[in-house]
Amino acid sequence: RWLLANRTEAERAIYQQYKLREGEFYSLISSTRQELLSCYDGRNNSSFEQRQACKESIFNEMNRHYSELKQSWDGNTAYDRWFEPGLSNARFISSHTYRYYIPAFDELLRQQQGDMSSFYKAAKQLAELPAGERRTRMANLRQVSIAAISNTSKVSSGAAENLSSKSGI
């Protein structure tokens, strides 16, 4: 909203490019985190050394994928600092924790019809709930948001397929 009201189309395009790159970067973090979880899956009975080797292999692969992303971004180094302290499980946990409830807040804002005052009031009410109840409510909001995004993607891809078949593409 602020960008629409206060910035030029060119500035909004720059921001849109930033958001696209951010999405690609956090997708890389998320997929790497999922791969790391497989290293530590207790059902595979791997030794400490095997888990460490698995982790190192995944970190090397992430570095390679990040280098490819940077090339596709014309060498943009905006996320290099994320790698500076070195990769560790803690880096992935903190990133996951930070981003996990964003869809829940998106849904809360949607439920308030985009009204920021109502959103802040609803968020404050959530904050005042006991921890267990708050986590449950946030998980439910997150799930509704993710389901809505998933349904929108299915509709969008279905509409694109329909358009392609009609136009002969």
Side-chain angles (χ1 to χ4, degrees), residues 34-52:
Q34 284 305 117
E35 291 176 34
L36 284 170
L37 290 173
S38 70
C39 288
Y40 296 98
D41 186 340
R43 295 172 288 189
N44 63 19
N45 294 321
S46 57
S47 68
F48 174 79
E49 290 79 16
Q50 290 169 320
R51 288 191 303 272
Q52 288 300 107

Side-chain angles (χ1 to χ4, degrees), residues 101-108 110-111 138-152:
Y101 284 116
I102 291 174
F105 286 110
D106 286 342
E107 177 59 21
L108 187 63
R110 189 199 64 74
Q111 288 179 0
M138 292 295 288
N140 290 339
L141 286 166
R142 183 177 188 279
Q143 197 58 39
V144 168
S145 178
I146 290 169
I149 292 168
S150 177
N151 288 336
T152 301

Side-chain angles (χ1 to χ4, degrees), residues 10-122:
E11 289 170 318
R12 290 192 302 269
I14 291 168
Y15 180 75
Q16 192 65 30
Q17 183 180 49
Y18 160 77
K19 292 303 284 181
L20 176 66
R21 288 175 179 168
E22 179 185 56
E24 290 174 334
F25 180 72
Y26 281 110
S27 178
L28 175 62
I29 289 174
S30 180
S31 63
T32 301
R33 180 183 174 276
Q34 284 305 117
E35 291 176 34
L36 284 170
L37 290 173
S38 70
C39 288
Y40 296 98
D41 186 340
R43 295 172 288 189
N44 63 19
N45 294 321
S46 57
S47 68
F48 174 79
E49 290 79 16
Q50 290 169 320
R51 288 191 303 272
Q52 288 300 107
C54 179
K55 181 173 82 169
E56 289 305 314
S57 173
I58 290 169
F59 285 169
N60 289 336
E61 190 67 13
M62 181 189 189
N63 279 313
R64 187 180 67 72
H65 284 295
Y66 178 62
S67 292
E68 291 170 2
L69 274 178
K70 283 195 321 187
Q71 285 178 348
S72 74
W73 298 339
D74 299 321
N76 184 293
T77 60
Y79 294 97
D80 283 4
R81 291 184 57 206
W82 197 86
F83 291 85
E84 283 178 8
L87 294 177
S88 69
N89 294 345
R91 305 271 310 148
F92 291 90
I93 291 169
S94 63
S95 290
H96 174 73
T97 301
Y98 178 76
R99 298 188 57 80
Y100 186 78
Y101 284 116
I102 291 174
F105 286 110
D106 286 342
E107 177 59 21
L108 187 63
L109 180 60
R110 189 199 64 74
Q111 288 179 0
Q112 306 307 313
Q113 288 82 39
D115 180 71
M116 294 304 289
S117 180
S118 296
F119 169 77
Y120 288 126
K121 183 178 178 182

